[in-house]
């Protein structure tokens, strides 16, 4: 190949890569599959800040809300109607994977999207209103054992959802039959926290980081326990674990993003490389910590394998509680 021809070929190749990068990283959008104020919103806002502050994108990422079915509407919309949109990220959590394991996303399974990046992890938490008579998880469980109909639990999800599962596991650990729980389902964590402060429910089984962010924003609530094997650091160091209080319940919550199933390998790589680079910086770690999330960084095949393993584990857990499950395709 002649030098000029070689230079031209190299230039065209570089332009082609730049075009892919521009397509993926221009006019970006993050879909939070719930109403504002919950964990999906937190996930999108974290990456919105990190991408702009790190100058990985030129214009701020737009955050849009697509509530319905705790992620089902967004999942189905992206797979069926926007499968090849390279600049649209969709937030997911461990709750999304649990719903997939139970067939709550309709005919689609964990194999129908491109799992992109895990950006951090949260942990389940037991939360009450600031003026609640419950001062510890032991108080909650004592009241439930005495009469489960008098303690109203609520969270962002129906029976079988992640937040319901946290409540069911906690009840089971305390010797209370989960079928006897009084449980109210909300569309997202934000709605549930509002109901908690209004006295419509007594206990919220949500996410620690989500609750702490709401407390910082003025929510009148208290965290009674975190669902981890050891106390969390930072703002939550004073909050005891469920295990410390005699209830062996652990519930880590992955937070991350997926892309549509027909996004090109080149655009997928642009995003994966961007996330890998971004999550390796001290600036990102600081932003993640500000939002109460804990370290968990995975992209590409590593995340894909993790997701498939988690969904398989959730199918087994759902079976234990007598919930319907759907095998992967």
């Amino acid at each position: 190949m002649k030098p000029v021809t070689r230079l031209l070929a190299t230039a065209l190749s570089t332009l082609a890569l730049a075009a892919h990068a521009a397509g993926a990283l221009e006019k970006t959008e993050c879909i939070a599959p719930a109403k504002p104020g919950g964990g999906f919103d937190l996930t999108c806002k974290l990456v919105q800040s990190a991408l702009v502050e790190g100058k990985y994108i030129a214009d701020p990422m737009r955050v849009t809300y697509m509530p319905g079915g705790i992620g089902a509407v967004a999942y189905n919309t992206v797979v069926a109607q926007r499968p090849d949109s390279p600049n649209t990220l969709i937030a997911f959590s461990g709750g999304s994977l649990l719903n997939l394991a139970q067939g709550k996303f309709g005919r689609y399974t964990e194999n129908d999207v491109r799992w992109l990046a895990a950006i951090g992890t949260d942990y389940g938490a037991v939360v009450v209103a600031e003026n609640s008579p419950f001062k510890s998880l032991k108080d909650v469980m004592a009241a439930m054992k005495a009469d489960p109909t008098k303690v109203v639990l609520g969270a962002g999800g129906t029976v079988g959802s992640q937040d319901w599962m946290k409540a069911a596991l906690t009840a089971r650990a305390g010797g209370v039959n989960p079928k006897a729980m009084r449980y109210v389902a909300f569309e997202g964590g934000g709605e549930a926290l509002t109901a908690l402060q209004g006295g419509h429910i007594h206990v919220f089984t949500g996410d620690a980081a989500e609750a702490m962010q709401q407390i910082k924003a003025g929510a009148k609530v208290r965290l009674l326990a975190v669902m981890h094997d050891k106390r969390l650091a930072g703002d939550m160091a004073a909050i005891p674990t469920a295990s410390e209080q005699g209830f062996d319940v652990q519930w880590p919550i992955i937070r991350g993003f997926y892309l549509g199933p027909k996004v090109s390998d080149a655009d997928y790589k642009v995003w994966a490389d961007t996330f890998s680079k971004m999550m390796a910086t001290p600036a990102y770690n600081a932003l993640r910590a500000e939002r109460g999330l804990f370290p968990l960084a995975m992209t590409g095949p590593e995340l894909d394998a993790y997701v498939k393993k988690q969904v398989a584990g959730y199918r087994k857990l759902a079976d234990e509680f007598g919930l319907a499950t759907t095998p992967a395709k």
Side-chain angles (χ1 to χ4, degrees), residues 11-305:
L12 288 173
S13 177
T14 302
L15 284 171
L17 286 171
H20 277 298
L25 301 178
E26 277 187 353
K27 297 181 180 178
T28 55
E29 176 186 13
C30 184
I31 295 176
K35 294 180 180 180
F40 289 134
D41 193 11
L42 181 152
T43 306
C44 281
K45 295 285 179 60
L46 167 56
V47 168
Q48 180 189 50
S49 296
L51 287 170
V52 169
E53 291 180 22
K55 301 191 184 329
Y56 300 99
I57 56 177
D59 301 308
M61 172 177 274
R62 182 166 58 104
V63 177
T64 56
Y65 301 93
M66 197 177 289
I70 319 299
V73 169
Y75 203 86
N76 279 263
T77 298
V78 169
V79 175
Q81 300 173 28
R82 301 173 61 178
D84 57 355
S85 178
N87 53 3
T88 302
L89 307 180
I90 308 91
F92 80 92
S93 71
S96 311
L97 306 184
L98 179 63
N99 282 348
L100 279 168
Q102 297 176 65
K104 291 187 175 182
F105 283 9
R107 61 194 178 96
Y108 299 120
T109 74
E110 67 272 23
N111 298 311
D112 288 310
V113 298
R114 304 199 71 173
W115 302 101
L116 175 63
I119 63 163
T121 186
D122 195 0
Y123 296 93
V126 179
V127 187
V128 296
E130 199 171 66
N131 60 358
S132 170
F134 299 133
K135 304 303 180 186
S136 69
L137 183 54
K138 285 185 177 181
D139 291 345
V140 174
M141 293 313 305
M144 287 185 69
K145 282 197 94 169
D147 187 351
T149 66
K150 290 188 177 178
V151 181
V152 184
L153 295 92
T158 56
V159 172
S161 69
Q162 172 172 245
D163 287 349
W164 178 90
M165 195 69 78
K166 294 173 205 166
L169 287 168
T170 303
R172 188 171 74 175
V176 175
N177 186 343
K179 292 181 179 179
M181 291 190 309
R182 282 187 66 190
Y183 179 86
V184 180
F186 296 91
E187 178 53 43
E191 278 191 3
L193 278 167
T194 299
L196 182 69
Q197 293 171 86
H200 304 294
I201 60 175
H202 304 132
V203 179
F204 168 53
T205 49
D207 306 343
E210 177 184 344
M212 185 56 70
Q213 289 301 306
Q214 293 294 330
I215 289 171
K216 288 179 179 179
K220 304 297 184 183
V221 300
R222 288 184 285 115
L223 278 80
L224 296 185
V226 293
M227 299 176 184
H228 190 30
D229 60 352
K230 56 182 177 293
R231 289 201 183 196
L232 304 179
D235 295 334
M236 289 180 267
I239 301 163
T241 67
S243 298
E244 279 179 59
Q245 300 177 69
F247 309 97
D248 186 16
V249 182
Q250 296 180 37
W251 195 271
I253 305 156
I254 185 175
R255 294 210 171 277
F257 299 96
Y258 63 85
L259 294 168
K262 294 183 180 178
V263 170
S264 71
D265 288 345
D267 286 329
Y268 179 88
K269 186 176 187 304
V270 167
W271 274 117
D273 289 349
T274 299
F275 269 93
S276 294
K277 185 177 178 182
M278 179 182 76
M279 292 191 293
T281 64
Y284 175 77
N285 288 337
L287 285 171
R288 189 203 66 242
E290 279 176 16
R291 287 157 177 80
L293 292 181
F294 297 86
L296 180 66
M298 286 186 282
T299 57
E302 182 187 12
L303 175 64
D304 188 75

